[in-house]
Amino acid sequence: MLTRFAPSPTGDLHLGHAYSAVLAHDAARAAGGKFLIRIDDIDGSRSREAYVGAALADLAWLGLGWDGEPLRQSARLGDYAAALDRLRARGLVYPCFCTRADIAASLSAPHGPSGAIYPGACRDLAEAERERRMVVKPHCWRLDTARALAIAGDLAWEEQGQGMRAADPLAHGDIVIARKDAPASYHLASTLDDAMTGVTHVVRGADLIAATDVHRLLQALLGLPTPLYHHHPLVCSAGGQRLAKRDAAASLAVLRDGGVDGRALAADLLGQRLPTGYSLRMP
């Protein structure tokens, strides 16, 4: 078994991150496997090196050892570009020039698991028009999901303890796989990285169950293996809201500075014993 924990260095880790990391670490160690760290720093405008060091310090405080050097997504940009080129060569992606405001203003845009579904305004642009706009306008790259699914066929993944779960990529519409401000989206980068590092068991929050629809489709299109998935409950505040990096009270740095024993906290999280005021809930 090989699991991973993949923090984004855009803020301090909190109890929710700790819970996910503890579960992934325990799953690997219990099976005599490996636990990897991946730094999801593909967003250069928001990533900060200080948060990389802080995250590693938090994990060490929790008593979670990892195998090998942490992988950085920023070192894999060429691999993401190559995968995008493969999809482009098969006619499965197209450039999109719409802004978020354009999509939000569209009366025909329905909503799916991840919010407003792209209405497809750029899908059928003539090639000459695409080339003209690409010279002068910022653009992302979207997956033609219906066309891709026609090639991939019916898809499913195994959810730990629940058996096979059908994937529904069409519910997300034509998702972005390369952003205007980054060479790959979370979907493309994470899917490629899990395959490249040999991850066999993805442990992550239940808020990412829907994303697995998309990841399963990308795996099929790019000939990548499908790991076992475990989407766990989220750590929530007393008001029932899932934690965010802006929730300073739940940050591991604050808990550590307050004298909390990190290893004891990790053991409590593994036993689903959370600090007062926090609970585990499915979204």
Side-chain angles (χ1 to χ4, degrees):
M1 179 181 288
L2 193 155
T3 66
R4 50 80 166 170
F5 176 63
S8 299
T10 57
D12 289 324
L13 300 188
H14 54 58
L15 279 171
H17 297 115
Y19 182 64
S20 194
V22 165
L23 291 185
H25 180 270
D26 180 71
R29 297 303 186 231
K34 294 183 177 181
F35 173 67
L36 306 183
I37 300 298
R38 186 180 78 219
I39 305 299
D40 285 5
D41 60 350
I42 197 171
D43 189 340
S45 64
R46 298 177 59 223
S47 297
R48 299 290 182 269
E49 190 62 28
Y51 289 127
V52 175
L56 297 180
D58 286 339
L59 295 173
W61 170 68
L62 290 167
L64 308 183
W66 56 89
D67 297 286
E69 291 296 319
L71 170 74
R72 289 176 180 258
Q73 286 190 330
S74 57
R76 300 227 330 120
L77 304 187
D79 296 300
Y80 307 147
L84 179 62
D85 285 342
R86 288 175 59 190
L87 296 173
R88 186 187 298 126
R90 297 170 66 186
L92 295 177
V93 298
Y94 60 88
C96 174
F97 309 93
C98 298
T99 65
R100 292 182 180 179
D102 293 334
I103 298 172
S106 174
L107 297 179
S108 62
H111 280 67
S114 303
I117 295 177
Y118 178 63
C122 296
R123 185 189 306 121
D124 298 321
L125 287 176
E127 188 63 29
E129 179 61 16
R130 286 179 178 174
E131 295 292 339
R132 185 192 69 79
R133 293 191 188 187
M134 287 173 65
V135 174
V136 297
K137 296 190 67 174
H139 58 277
C140 65
W141 288 90
R142 290 186 180 273
L143 184 69
D144 188 332
T145 304
R147 185 171 184 177
L149 198 56
I151 294 173
D154 293 337
L155 300 169
W157 76 84
E158 184 177 358
E159 184 71 26
Q160 181 175 300
Q162 300 179 27
M164 298 305 293
R165 182 180 180 123
D168 185 16
L170 280 177
H172 303 263
D174 290 353
I175 54 95
V176 172
I177 60 170
R179 292 163 38 193
K180 296 177 182 179
D181 58 347
S185 69
Y186 161 74
H187 297 299
L188 182 61
S190 184
T191 301
L192 288 169
D193 289 343
D194 284 341
M196 187 278 292
T197 52
V199 169
T200 63
H201 187 178
V202 173
V203 179
R204 61 189 183 191
D207 54 328
L208 291 171
I209 288 179
T212 313
D213 292 333
V214 177
H215 298 179
R216 185 65 190 89
L217 177 55
L218 290 172
Q219 289 161 0
L221 295 175
L222 296 170
L224 305 177
T226 302
L228 172 70
Y229 287 90
H230 175 199
H231 292 97
H232 58 72
L234 305 179
V235 177
C236 295
S237 65
Q241 299 298 313
R242 69 179 185 180
L243 301 184
K245 289 181 177 177
R246 62 181 176 273
D247 298 318
S251 78
L252 301 187
V254 168
L255 295 174
R256 182 173 63 249
D257 291 344
V260 173
D261 184 316
R263 292 176 181 268
L265 174 62
D268 284 342
L269 291 174
L270 189 60
Q272 297 190 348
R273 298 181 298 273
L274 275 69
T276 302
Y278 299 97
S279 62
L280 290 171
R281 300 186 184 184
M282 293 296 286

